[in-house]
């Protein structure tokens, strides 16, 4: 199997296993294993399929970039990763989309901060992170890897809407009616004030710290310098 075919195969395995476990197989496995047991199995499968995907990506031969990557494009990608980091950190507290016994209670609150931006801030964080990498590493292998992560994040979010509506009923439907799938969708439509979408402290400062640490680690681990370290390193 040539390197690109192997990368495609591992990407299909990664996405397919996630979607199967998240939706058609979830209820049956959770009823047999319990919620905690299911989460353990899900995590094992996730790592077991992600590692071959990364190994296949690393094994790709050098490729010519599909477009020129200049400093303005790097600056744009840096800002996108910062925004993605803020969304991710904000999603860790009070998120009705996470598997938690307090999810229905969290859904009763007014959407604020990252949840006023999108009801799936964690998944959009992953998707935007993948998009930023595609911007500055425009090779066939990186585009495939980024598309795999973005597809799983956004299609998985759409599936999560249906699953949560089934599990939480009106609590989730009311939450969905007051939030947007697409970032800033309600603000652009005039259905919510822009002030509601200002990230809260844990999202803003936690996101900045995550962004600084992750971009510093990018260079420290031997990859190309990223983030502000590209200009101040």
């Amino acid at each position: 199997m040539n390197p690109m075919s192997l990368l495609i195969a591992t990407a299909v395995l990664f996405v397919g296993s996630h979607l199967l476990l998240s939706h058609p197989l979830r209820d049956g496995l959770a009823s047999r294993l319990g919620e905690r047991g299911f989460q353990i199995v899900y995590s094992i499968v996730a790592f077991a399929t992600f590692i071959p995907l990364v190994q296949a990506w690393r094994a790709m031969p050098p490729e010519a970039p599909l477009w020129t990557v200049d400093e303005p494009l790097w600056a744009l990608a840096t800002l996108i990763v910062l925004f993605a980091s803020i969304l991710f950190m904000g999603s860790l507290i009070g998120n009705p989309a996470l598997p938690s016994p307090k999810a229905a209670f969290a859904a009763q609150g007014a959407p604020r901060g990252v949840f006023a931006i999108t009801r799936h801030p964690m998944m959009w964080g992953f998707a935007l992170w993948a998009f930023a990498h595609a911007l500055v590493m425009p090779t066939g292998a990186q585009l495939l890897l980024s598309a795999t992560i973005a597809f799983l994040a956004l299609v998985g979010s759409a599936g999560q809407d249906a699953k949560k509506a089934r599990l939480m009923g009106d609590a989730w439907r009311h939450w969905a009616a007051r939030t947007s799938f697409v970032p800033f969708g309600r603000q652009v439509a005039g259905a919510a004030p822009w002030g509601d979408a200002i990230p809260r402290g844990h999202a803003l400062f936690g996101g900045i710290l995550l962004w600084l640490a992750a971009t510093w680690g990018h260079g420290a681990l031997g990859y190309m310098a990223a983030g502000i370290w590209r200009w101040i390193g």
Side-chain angles (χ1 to χ4, degrees):
M1 184 178 292
N2 65 56
M4 181 56 78
S5 297
L6 179 60
L7 182 60
I8 293 171
T10 55
V12 170
L13 178 63
F14 178 66
V15 172
S17 61
H18 273 68
L19 294 181
L20 284 172
L21 286 174
S22 297
H23 302 291
L25 300 181
R26 188 190 191 286
D27 290 345
L29 288 174
S31 65
R32 294 177 184 178
L33 304 174
E35 191 62 36
R36 183 174 180 81
F38 172 77
Q39 291 298 331
I40 292 173
V41 170
Y42 185 93
S43 299
I44 291 173
V45 173
F47 280 109
T49 55
F50 184 67
I51 290 173
L53 173 61
V54 173
Q55 290 176 332
W57 173 74
R58 288 179 174 173
M60 285 291 295
E63 299 175 272
L66 299 175
W67 56 78
T68 301
V69 179
D70 53 15
E71 293 306 304
L73 195 59
W74 265 104
L76 174 61
T78 297
L79 291 175
I80 291 173
V81 172
L82 173 58
F83 180 53
S85 299
I86 292 171
L87 288 178
F88 177 81
M89 293 303 293
S91 74
L92 299 179
I93 298 177
N95 188 351
L98 294 178
S100 167
K102 298 181 179 180
F105 176 78
Q108 295 175 12
R112 293 289 187 270
V114 297
F115 302 110
I117 297 173
T118 171
R119 64 176 167 273
H120 293 294
M122 181 181 289
M123 295 298 102
W124 273 100
F126 289 139
L128 290 171
W129 173 87
F131 176 65
H133 279 72
L135 284 180
V136 296
M137 297 177 64
T139 63
Q142 182 59 52
L143 293 181
L144 177 59
L145 180 62
S146 291
T148 297
I149 294 171
F151 175 85
L152 182 59
L154 299 183
V155 171
S157 295
Q160 190 176 57
D161 278 343
K163 179 178 68 178
K164 282 289 185 175
R166 186 179 73 254
L167 295 175
M168 292 172 56
D170 287 342
W172 181 262
R173 283 187 283 271
H174 291 159
W175 176 253
R178 292 177 290 130
T179 56
S180 171
F181 184 92
V182 177
F184 299 109
R186 287 178 61 80
Q187 286 76 23
V188 171
W194 286 92
D196 287 354
I198 297 174
R200 296 186 173 185
H202 70 279
L204 183 60
F205 295 109
I208 291 173
L209 288 175
L210 174 63
W211 171 68
L212 289 172
T215 52
W216 176 83
H218 209 276
L221 292 174
Y223 299 101
M224 64 182 70
I228 60 172
W229 313 107
R230 180 175 178 83
W231 294 285
I232 67 173

